[in-house]
Amino acid sequence: MANRISSNKKEREKIKQQKRLEKQKQKEERKSQGSSSFEDMIAYVDEYGRLSSTPPEEPAEVINVEDVQISTPKKVEEEIVRQTGKVDFFNPSKGFGFIKDGNGNKFFFHISNAPENIGEGDNVEFDSEENARGMDAVNITIVTK
């Protein structure tokens, strides 16, 4: 038995054949024009990021790579001043509290930075340390009970 070809199938095959012929013609035209050289394909970028077909001129200022310093500035050591205050609030079950200094400023502290026997109303000395949420009291010592 011979394969039957419907009219739609014939039309699709004709279209495919036409596309193949068109591609072949385009390929032959490109070959006849000659191959493009590597230099024609190069694009240059200047110091401002603009593309051009000609090489950029030398920049007016030449930067010596050895002179470029990439680092973070050194942290200036701040003088640590001991502050005095009074324990305003302390929750021993949760392990934190607040110390109020003479100026009315409150400093958060955690039990890990304080002596075990600290309690509300104790006069203390402490160092202050900046935190993401504010100032913390660290290195706490009890002055008098």
Side-chain angles (χ1 to χ4, degrees):
M1 258 192 184
N3 290 337
R4 297 183 117 188
I5 298 177
S6 66
S7 62
N8 282 339
K9 195 170 185 180
K10 285 181 184 178
E11 289 174 14
R12 281 185 276 158
E13 286 181 12
K14 283 182 183 178
I15 293 172
K16 282 183 183 180
Q17 186 62 29
Q18 286 175 349
K19 285 184 181 179
R20 283 188 203 128
L21 291 173
E22 287 175 13
K23 281 188 177 183
Q24 185 65 29
K25 284 180 185 176
Q26 289 174 353
K27 188 176 180 182
E28 288 172 5
E29 285 177 11
R30 282 190 302 246
K31 282 186 178 181
S32 66
Q33 291 175 356
S35 62
S36 59
S37 67
F38 182 69
E39 280 74 28
D40 293 340
M41 292 187 271
I42 291 180
Y44 298 96
V45 181
D46 65 3
E47 68 245 27
Y48 302 109
R50 294 180 291 211
L51 295 174
S52 65
S53 60
T54 58
E57 297 176 9
E58 288 295 318
E61 183 182 342
V62 177
I63 299 171
N64 187 0
V65 176
E66 295 170 359
D67 294 340
V68 177
Q69 295 178 1
I70 302 174
S71 66
T72 56
K74 290 184 178 179
K75 186 175 182 181
V76 178
E77 290 291 327
E78 295 180 13
E79 187 177 318
I80 299 174
V81 178
R82 293 285 284 176
Q83 296 179 334
T84 59
K86 192 173 192 175
V87 178
D88 188 41
F89 171 80
F90 179 62
N91 186 339
S93 64
K94 294 192 177 182
F96 75 93
F98 292 94
I99 298 174
K100 194 173 197 178
D101 70 355
N103 298 332
N105 299 326
K106 284 191 175 184
F107 296 87
F108 172 85
F109 74 92
H110 190 265
I111 192 65
S112 62
N113 293 320
E116 293 178 11
N117 57 349
I118 195 166
E120 285 187 26
D122 289 344
N123 291 323
V124 293
E125 278 189 347
F126 62 94
D127 297 330
S128 60
E129 187 176 86
E130 192 163 349
N131 182 334
R133 293 185 175 179
M135 298 297 284
D136 284 355
V138 294
N139 302 329
I140 302 168
T141 55
I142 298 174
V143 177
T144 57
K145 276 249 177 192

